[in-house]
Amino acid sequence: MKLPILKAFGATYALVFGHFFDCLRIVWLPLAVISATRYWVGTKVLPALADFIKNMPLTPASKPDFAAIIEMIRENPIYHDAIKSIMIALPIALIFTLILITGLLRFSVRGQKPQLPFYIGSGADEIRLALNVILVFLATLGVSLAGSLGVGLVATIGLIASPPVSALITAIASFALDCVMIWFAVRLSLANAATIGERTIGFGTSLRLTGGNFWRLLIFWILVVIPIIVIGCAIAGAAGSTFWPYVAEMLDVAQQGESTAREHVREMLPKLLMAVQEHLPLLVAIGYVSAAIILPIVISAGGVAYRYLTGNEAAE
C-alpha cells in the first residue's frame, strides 16, 4: 500500500491540533516530571561545568593535565553532586519519555484517550515499546559501526594509492554511509507505532510496511519537520537573545591568536553558563511549552503514517 503523502501530512496536524487538549492531557504530567529533573540537573551541572572550565589544570604546553583533572574531580564535592544528579535524573527522564510516547501512540494509532486528566501508563505497551526502542537502537548502532569500519577500510586502501585518491574515496564512502543511515532510519520510523498497533515488537512490521514507500515516507517526514524547524528557530531566537552577546564575543576573539582566544573563551564560557543558570527557570519553562507542542506532532506523525499503510486511516 502506498502512503498518500499530503493526506497523511494534513491528517497529522489535523489530529494534533483538532484534539490538542487530548494531547495535552497525555503529555503534561510526564513533561512536568522531565522538566523538573532537567531543572534540578541544571542547578547541579552548570556550576560544576563553569568551575571546571575556569579551573581546569593545564600542562606547561597549555594542554589539559588529565592526572590533575582526575584529582580535582575526586576532591571537589561540586563534581560529585553533578554526576549523581545525572545518574538519578537520566533513568527518570527515560521512563517518563517512554510513558509519554506510549500515551501519544495509543491515541494516534488506536484512538484511545486518557480517562483521567493525565496519562501515566506502566503496562504491557510500555514494556513492549521499551524493548522495541532497545532493538532499534542496537540495530542502528550495529549498522553505524559496520559502516564506519567500512569507511575506515576504504580510506586505508585509498592511502595505498595516494592521499588525494584516499580523500576522494573517503568522502564518497562517508556520503554513502550517510545515505544508508537515512534509509535505515526511514525504514524503522514506524517501529514504535507498529509496536502499539500490533501489540508486539514492531521492528519487523516497520520494515515490511515501509517497503516500497521509502521516498514517500522521506518526503512525508520532511514536510512534518519543516514547520517544527520554523517554530524551533523562532523559540530559540527569542530565548537565546540573552546569551548571544557572550557567544558573539567568543566567536569574535576566535580569530585572534590561539593562546589569546583560548584564555578569553575560558573566561567567557563560565559567564555564559552562569547566565544560563540565572535564567534556568525560564529556559525550562520554554522547553516545556515547546515540547508540549512539538512532541505530539512528531510522535503522532508515525501513528498516522502507520494507520494509512495498514488501511486504517479512518481511525482518526
Side-chain angles (χ1 to χ4, degrees):
M1 190 169 185
K2 298 299 183 182
L3 177 72
I5 301 170
L6 294 180
K7 193 174 180 181
F9 168 72
T12 296
Y13 279 86
L15 176 69
V16 172
F17 291 105
H19 301 271
F20 183 74
F21 288 104
D22 290 318
C23 293
L24 194 59
R25 282 197 296 160
I26 294 170
V27 304
W28 78 264
L29 184 55
L31 275 181
V33 175
I34 295 168
S35 297
T37 58
R38 288 177 61 192
Y39 176 78
W40 178 60
V41 170
T43 61
K44 302 293 184 181
V45 170
L46 289 172
L49 189 56
D51 182 84
F52 177 80
I53 294 171
K54 185 177 180 180
N55 300 307
M56 181 174 63
L58 300 175
T59 65
S62 296
K63 303 295 182 182
D65 187 338
F66 292 106
I69 288 173
I70 293 173
E71 189 64 26
M72 181 180 75
I73 293 174
R74 183 183 295 120
E75 293 180 353
N76 195 333
I78 192 174
Y79 302 124
H80 304 168
D81 291 343
I83 294 171
K84 288 177 183 177
S85 70
I86 294 173
M87 294 178 66
I88 293 172
L90 185 59
I92 294 174
L94 289 174
I95 289 170
F96 279 89
T97 299
L98 193 67
I99 291 172
L100 182 152
I101 294 172
T102 303
L104 287 172
L105 286 175
R106 289 180 64 169
F107 174 56
S108 61
V109 172
R110 300 181 193 161
Q112 294 179 347
K113 301 178 182 180
Q115 300 300 312
L116 300 173
F118 56 87
Y119 174 79
I120 290 291
S122 58
D125 283 333
E126 282 76 14
I127 295 173
R128 284 191 292 261
L129 190 63
L131 293 174
N132 180 73
V133 168
I134 293 171
L135 181 58
V136 170
F137 170 76
L138 292 176
T140 304
L141 180 64
V143 172
S144 178
L145 290 176
S148 298
L149 290 174
V151 171
L153 179 61
V154 168
T156 302
I157 294 173
L159 282 174
I160 299 175
S162 69
V165 172
S166 175
L168 177 61
I169 293 176
T170 301
I172 294 173
S174 297
F175 176 73
L177 176 59
D178 291 339
C179 291
V180 169
M181 295 307 299
I182 292 172
W183 176 86
F184 198 64
V186 171
R187 293 297 304 275
L188 291 178
S189 62
L190 304 186
N192 287 340
T195 297
I196 300 301
E198 306 290 327
R199 289 180 168 87
T200 186
I201 295 176
F203 186 97
T205 303
S206 181
L207 291 175
R208 175 176 57 82
L209 290 175
T210 57
N213 276 287
F214 170 78
W215 291 109
R216 289 174 174 271
L217 275 166
L218 180 61
I219 295 171
F220 167 73
W221 283 114
I222 291 173
L223 289 176
V224 168
V225 168
I226 286 175
I228 294 173
I229 293 175
V230 174
I231 295 171
C233 288
I235 293 173
S241 59
T242 304
F243 315 112
W244 296 140
Y246 297 99
V247 177
E249 187 171 351
M250 286 189 291
L251 293 175
D252 185 54
V253 300
Q255 302 179 11
Q256 302 177 16
E258 181 181 348
S259 60
T260 303
R262 185 189 301 115
E263 289 301 319
H264 191 80
V265 170
R266 192 174 180 183
E267 176 186 345
M268 289 299 300
L269 200 50
K271 294 181 180 179
L272 173 61
L273 292 171
M274 290 299 97
V276 172
Q277 183 180 9
E278 181 182 350
H279 296 84
L280 190 59
L282 175 62
L283 293 175
V284 171
I286 292 173
Y288 180 94
V289 174
S290 303
I293 297 171
I294 291 172
L295 287 179
I297 297 172
V298 175
I299 296 168
S300 296
V304 170
Y306 167 81
R307 290 206 321 264
Y308 274 101
L309 290 177
T310 55
N312 191 30
E313 63 269 22
E316 66 185 87

